[in-house]
Amino acid sequence: MSSRRSSRGSISDEEINELISKLQSLLPNSRRRGSSQASTTKLLKETCNYIKSLHREVDDLSDRLSDLMSTMDHNSPGAEIVRSILRS
Amino acid sequence: MARCGGDVSRHRKADLETVESLCQGLLDDVMLDDDKCRAMFGYLQEWPDLASMCHSASLLGEPPLAPEASNGSGSSGGGGGFRKRRPDSCLEAKGKSNSVCKRPRGKQQPCDPDQMAAVVGKGKTERARAGAKKKAELALPKDSPATSESTVTAGQKTDYIHVRARRGQATDSHSLAERVRRERISERMRYLQELVPGCNKVTGKAGMLDEIINYVQSLQKQVEFLSMKIAASNPVVNFNIVEDLFSRQLSQAACNPAALAAMAPPIGQAEPSCLQMSPLQQMQTPAGCPGFGLEMIVNNNLFSLAHGGSMSAAAAASVPAGASVESCLNVHGAAGWDIGSQSLFSGFDAPFQSVQSDSLLDNLKMEM
């Protein structure tokens, strides 16, 4: 019974390791550092920070876009292009 | 407090049992919250001074504050073996109360495992003791004079703490380290759970990690998309972003053979700026503006011409995309214009503004 449990545990561990490395590949820092196996704790911490920075970036870009749209002349060709992109 | 202290000092041995049982009952029954713990620690940290003044028992009053009581019990029980140092006994109580606090709350607090490792690790090896010392110092930064002594109490502390720590838990250093690690990981996971929407519904680490990965990817895409939009609406300023984005787009679009065919001549002959240009226009094409497709061909032709490409190459590029011969001829007419391409494409919004191919040609003529 214990062997079965351990085997099941190892499978899920493998899955989790896979997911962890996948997550690591998504993070810009870990990619740059190139370390194969940083600690999971660190990785999760980095993920937190990365998600936060992405949130910030999205907010910032949205703000900029809305600013652009509001300041842009409605008849200008730039506005036309932006609108066509937004429609797509 | 003085009253109780007096009691304890007077009837130290007699009250020892009752105080101990009382504090145990309190600790077991009452869920100690963080504030209470902190208050206790702060209180206990002043212990050395007070201890020098009033000796051990004077502080021991206030039955509601359980750890104090346990402190009293520890120091007065020190009649047995813990008697040597007053401040030590204080710290001992501190450690005790900490590990005791931990129990009812489960492993909610990040400092708890550390503390626990510190407390139990001391009993194990010298090395573990050194680590524990460090941890104790970290945990109690305010208590600098007393911390140095805290390690001395380690040996004494172990007896009691040891018993408390092993309720169904392994106490060897590996298990402890592993437990601390798992604590940290699950703490992070909880934090991520708050950060990632929809992660609350998923149970299990694998599902959560999946969710987190998806979320990060979607955020990355969102950022890309937004910066692309901004870059497109403000092309000159964000030229670098456009380049970056469309180099990615290019690699993705490489599987589209038609686009590849249309893009081929500039890729073969032109420099990177031209390479960036083509996918940009190719991006525009599905946006529903037929003019862009035509324009793209015209531009491609221009590129090949400007970079010394043969006219046949230009025609070959234009024919599969269905550009009119007329526009080709017009471009050919502009073939003498060989340096203007730089200014046109560094300008970058010129092609944007000319939705129709003839307006583009007007532009070209103007620039000529």
Side-chain angles (χ1 to χ4, degrees):
Chain A
M1 184 220 162
S2 70
S3 71
R4 190 179 45 178
R5 191 177 57 189
S6 73
S7 75
R8 198 182 58 198
S10 73
I11 285 173
S12 84
D13 274 0
E14 271 170 30
E15 278 174 8
I16 284 180
N17 283 342
E18 215 171 280
L19 287 168
I20 291 269
S21 53
K22 199 176 164 191
L23 185 60
Q24 195 167 22
S25 69
L26 285 177
L27 300 186
N29 279 349
S30 58
R31 215 184 295 150
R32 189 189 54 214
R33 212 187 317 133
S35 68
S36 55
Q37 272 289 355
S39 81
T40 313
T41 318
K42 240 178 232 165
L43 176 75
L44 292 176
K45 197 175 173 184
E46 275 171 21
T47 312
C48 287
N49 293 335
Y50 187 51
I51 288 179
K52 271 187 258 176
S53 77
L54 281 175
H55 277 161
R56 267 200 305 276
E57 212 171 335
V58 167
D59 289 346
D60 180 48
L61 286 172
S62 311
D63 286 350
R64 272 170 63 189
L65 191 65
S66 58
D67 279 358
L68 263 175
M69 289 303 283
S70 63
T71 56
M72 202 177 273
D73 182 15
H74 278 282
N75 298 322
S76 76
E80 196 68 43
I81 286 158
V82 171
R83 253 176 267 135
S84 73
I85 290 172
L86 287 176
R87 268 198 304 271
S88 67
Chain B
M1 153 167 145
R3 177 184 55 79
C4 284
D7 284 350
V8 176
S9 60
R10 251 183 278 128
H11 316 287
R12 185 175 287 175
K13 276 174 186 168
D15 281 353
L16 170 62
E17 292 298 316
T18 37
V19 173
E20 199 157 9
S21 62
L22 171 69
C23 78
Q24 285 307 320
L26 277 169
L27 288 171
D28 288 338
D29 294 341
V30 179
M31 287 283 230
L32 291 170
D33 55 5
D34 286 352
D35 289 340
K36 215 166 188 176
C37 277
R38 236 172 270 132
M40 275 157 23
F41 294 154
Y43 197 48
L44 287 167
Q45 275 160 17
E46 295 167 28
W47 167 257
D49 302 334
L50 292 169
S52 61
M53 275 165 45
C54 343
H55 241 60
S56 69
S58 60
L59 252 189
L60 304 177
E62 318 230 344
L65 282 184
E68 276 174 40
S70 77
N71 186 6
S73 75
S75 58
S76 49
F82 292 154
R83 198 57 102 76
K84 283 152 202 159
R85 264 171 235 92
R86 298 300 171 204
D88 291 357
S89 67
C90 139
L91 279 162
E92 188 185 325
K94 212 179 285 177
K96 229 183 279 177
S97 60
N98 205 344
S99 73
V100 167
C101 284
K102 171 182 179 290
R103 292 224 151 255
R105 258 183 299 148
K107 299 162 184 178
Q108 298 285 328
Q109 245 193 352
C111 73
D112 279 342
D114 287 353
Q115 201 74 22
M116 170 143 172
V119 167
V120 187
K122 277 168 195 164
K124 293 301 158 190
T125 59
E126 279 305 308
R127 201 174 168 280
R129 186 178 293 192
K133 193 194 293 184
K134 237 176 263 168
K135 279 175 181 171
E137 279 168 8
L138 282 175
L140 308 165
K142 278 185 286 179
D143 205 15
S144 46
T147 23
S148 55
E149 287 174 296
S150 77
T151 52
V152 186
T153 32
Q156 303 170 356
K157 212 186 287 185
T158 2
D159 298 359
Y160 186 70
I161 299 302
H162 197 63
V163 177
R164 302 284 303 173
R166 65 170 175 196
R167 238 182 238 161
Q169 290 179 331
T171 49
D172 58 299
S173 56
H174 287 295
S175 313
L176 281 168
E178 181 60 22
R179 200 176 305 147
V180 171
R181 188 181 144 264
R182 265 183 275 131
E183 303 278 336
R184 291 222 185 95
I185 289 177
S186 48
E187 185 204 342
R188 288 284 161 205
M189 289 297 268
R190 242 175 282 129
Y191 189 57
L192 275 170
Q193 210 168 12
E194 288 169 25
L195 226 59
V196 177
C199 221
N200 306 323
K201 297 157 200 159
V202 189
T203 50
K205 275 209 170 87
M208 266 177 65
L209 280 172
D210 235 352
E211 202 70 24
I212 290 166
I213 288 172
N214 287 340
Y215 187 58
V216 168
Q217 277 172 337
S218 77
L219 275 177
Q220 282 174 339
K221 277 197 194 107
Q222 208 176 346
V223 166
E224 241 175 68
F225 186 58
L226 279 172
S227 42
M228 186 188 76
K229 276 193 234 168
I230 289 183
S233 61
N234 202 359
V236 181
V237 178
N238 296 305
F239 189 76
N240 288 333
I241 300 175
V242 178
E243 237 176 43
D244 178 48
L245 278 172
F246 288 120
S247 60
R248 275 183 237 171
Q249 291 275 337
L250 177 66
S251 61
Q252 284 169 10
C255 55
N256 186 351
L260 217 62
M263 269 153 40
I267 286 177
Q269 302 163 9
E271 51 195 76
S273 72
C274 148
L275 193 81
Q276 297 304 326
M277 198 61 199
S278 315
L280 176 69
Q281 286 154 355
Q282 176 201 343
M283 259 294 299
Q284 296 290 328
T285 319
C289 307
F292 278 121
L294 188 58
E295 185 193 345
M296 174 175 80
I297 301 308
V298 170
N299 282 334
N300 285 350
N301 291 350
L302 273 176
F303 268 121
S304 40
L305 287 172
H307 292 275
S310 67
M311 184 57 206
S312 63
S318 62
V319 168
S324 66
V325 182
E326 179 186 305
S327 68
C328 254
L329 285 174
N330 278 336
V331 172
H332 192 214
W337 173 78
D338 52 355
I339 40 170
S341 69
Q342 296 299 329
S343 62
L344 172 65
F345 294 113
S346 60
F348 218 61
D349 42 3
F352 275 123
Q353 283 169 2
S354 56
V355 179
Q356 305 298 324
S357 66
D358 46 0
S359 65
L360 169 73
L361 290 172
D362 287 343
N363 249 340
L364 292 178
K365 278 165 195 160
M366 206 175 66
E367 285 191 35
M368 272 166 64

